[in-house]
């Protein structure tokens, strides 16, 4: 598994972002910058595939919160999370974020819900 | 496991080295995968706090990291010489607010306090800031 990578794919109904590796506090700003770029280009409907992410710190949670706030403004979009591994789910839970995000088992399901 | 030490700079790009170091120590100590994950995450939160707050994003600071085990616990210590930072004064995050009202920060300290069994902060003018955390475990798996 690489240290960390971001793959972006524009689909008909949303933008699919596939993350791979470990999102520690030094990598989260890279993801934040990419999401800001996409929003500047007019993309606000996201699916983030987390199935290949085995570590995520609070810096990632901050990116999720700030990006979701921006994406949801004017009802123009949201972030759906797909394939979140159990330990990352626990981190989301202890930060009280589980009720605030739509989680799907697979990216296909998440994309289909847009 | 013999006590292990690592010294890194306060530059954010050194953070993965710290997490790798803690992961290797957890494995050498025979910590379970779940307990190891908790220690790695707490290490990320502690170290990124030092880099961001104690050293205010400067990259010329020094961070000493040490790991050791006691009979019942895995111990993790961070020492820096940046601005004094007392976690006890950090407000608890709001965890039940709607996304619109949810502050973006303050989660790191909450994660450390939740995942680790003890989080202790000390400041000394000569020794700098010392943050010591412990993860108590009754289950030690076979070390690598």
């Amino acid at each position: 598994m690489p240290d960390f990578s971001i793959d972006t794919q524009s689909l008909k109904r949303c933008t699919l972002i596939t993350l791979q590796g470990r999102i520690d506090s030094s990598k989260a700003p890279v993801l934040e910058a990419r999401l800001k770029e996409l929003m500047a280009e007019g993309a606000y409907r996201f699916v983030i595939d987390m199935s290949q992410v085995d570590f995520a710190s609070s810096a990632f949670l901050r990116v999720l919160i700030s990006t979701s706030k921006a994406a949801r403004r004017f009802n123009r979009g949201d972030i759906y999370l797909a394939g979140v591994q159990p330990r990352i789910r626990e981190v989301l839970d202890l930060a009280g974020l589980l009720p605030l995000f739509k989680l799907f088992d697979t990216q296909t399901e998440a994309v289909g819900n847009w | 496991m013999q006590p292990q030490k690592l010294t890194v700079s306060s530059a954010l790009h050194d953070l993965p080295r710290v997490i790798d170091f803690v992961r290797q120590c957890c494995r050498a100590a025979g910590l379970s995968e779940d307990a190891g994950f908790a220690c790695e995450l707490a290490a990320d939160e502690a170290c990124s706090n030092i880099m961001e707050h104690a050293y205010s994003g400067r990259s010329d600071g020094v961070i000493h990291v040490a790991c050791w085990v006691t009979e019942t616990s895995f111990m993790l210590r961070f020492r820096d010489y940046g601005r004094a930072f007392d976690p006890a004064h950090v407000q608890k995050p709001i965890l039940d607010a709607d996304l619109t009202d949810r502050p973006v920060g303050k989660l790191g300290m909450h994660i450390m306090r939740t995942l680790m069994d003890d989080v202790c902060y000390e400041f000394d003018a000569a020794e700098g800031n010392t943050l010591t955390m412990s993860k108590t475990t009754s289950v030690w798996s076979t070390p690598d």
Side-chain angles (χ1 to χ4, degrees):
Chain A
M1 194 176 275
D3 200 21
F4 179 59
S5 69
I6 305 171
D7 179 67
T8 309
Q9 203 179 344
S10 289
L11 304 177
K12 195 173 175 184
R13 289 181 290 189
C14 65
T15 301
L16 173 63
I17 298 164
T18 305
L19 304 179
Q20 205 172 1
R22 302 168 63 80
I23 316 175
D24 61 36
S25 295
S26 71
K27 307 297 187 317
V30 180
L31 174 62
E32 184 172 33
R34 183 70 186 115
L35 287 165
K36 279 184 176 169
E37 256 176 31
L38 290 165
M39 287 194 288
E41 292 164 7
Y44 299 103
R45 292 151 64 118
F46 299 108
V47 167
I48 301 184
D49 185 339
M50 303 273 298
S51 60
Q52 298 172 85
V53 173
D54 58 8
F55 184 90
S57 72
S58 69
F60 169 70
L61 304 183
R62 287 197 293 273
V63 172
L64 267 190
I65 293 171
S66 61
T67 308
S68 295
K69 282 183 178 182
R72 289 180 188 181
R73 203 168 294 149
F74 314 120
N75 268 338
R76 59 192 176 185
D78 200 352
I79 296 178
Y80 292 173
L81 301 175
V84 179
Q85 295 191 19
R87 285 195 186 117
I88 312 293
R89 186 183 281 257
E90 281 174 31
V91 176
L92 288 168
D93 189 26
L94 71 88
L97 293 179
L98 274 185
L100 303 183
F101 289 91
K102 287 189 177 173
L103 274 70
F104 299 88
D105 288 342
T106 64
Q107 62 162 257
T108 310
E109 275 180 78
V111 169
N113 267 273
W114 274 118
Chain B
M1 184 186 87
Q2 294 295 313
Q4 303 290 317
K5 292 179 180 176
L6 173 75
T7 297
V8 296
S9 81
S10 57
L12 195 56
H13 63 69
D14 265 354
L15 182 69
R17 283 181 62 203
V18 173
I19 303 172
D20 285 346
F21 168 75
V22 171
R23 179 165 60 249
Q24 286 164 16
C25 290
C26 289
R27 285 179 180 166
L31 222 58
S32 69
E33 287 288 322
D34 282 344
F37 178 80
C39 291
E40 283 179 51
L41 196 49
D44 179 306
E45 305 299 347
C47 199
S48 58
N49 272 348
I50 292 169
M51 290 168 167
E52 186 179 344
H53 299 295
Y55 286 118
S56 305
R58 280 171 29 221
S59 58
D60 59 349
V62 172
I63 302 171
H64 299 295
V65 191
C67 296
W68 71 98
V69 292
T70 66
E71 277 188 16
T72 57
S73 302
F74 181 83
M75 307 295 296
L76 188 51
R77 186 184 67 209
F78 290 84
R79 182 164 288 158
D80 69 80
Y81 308 97
R83 192 157 48 95
F85 171 69
D86 189 346
H89 293 145
V90 176
Q91 289 180 335
K92 288 185 176 174
I94 302 165
L95 300 178
D96 54 1
D98 193 52
L99 190 72
T100 319
D101 303 318
R102 186 68 67 101
V104 174
K106 298 193 176 73
L107 289 170
M109 192 54 63
H110 170 69
I111 286 175
M112 274 194 276
R113 286 177 177 143
T114 307
L115 293 180
M116 302 302 278
D117 293 295
D118 192 38
V119 177
C120 173
Y121 171 84
E122 296 165 275
F123 173 74
D124 181 278
E127 297 288 330
N129 298 307
T130 304
L131 178 70
T132 309
M133 299 186 279
S134 68
K135 185 72 180 168
T136 307
T137 178
S138 56
V139 182
W140 298 94
S141 62
T142 308
D144 289 343

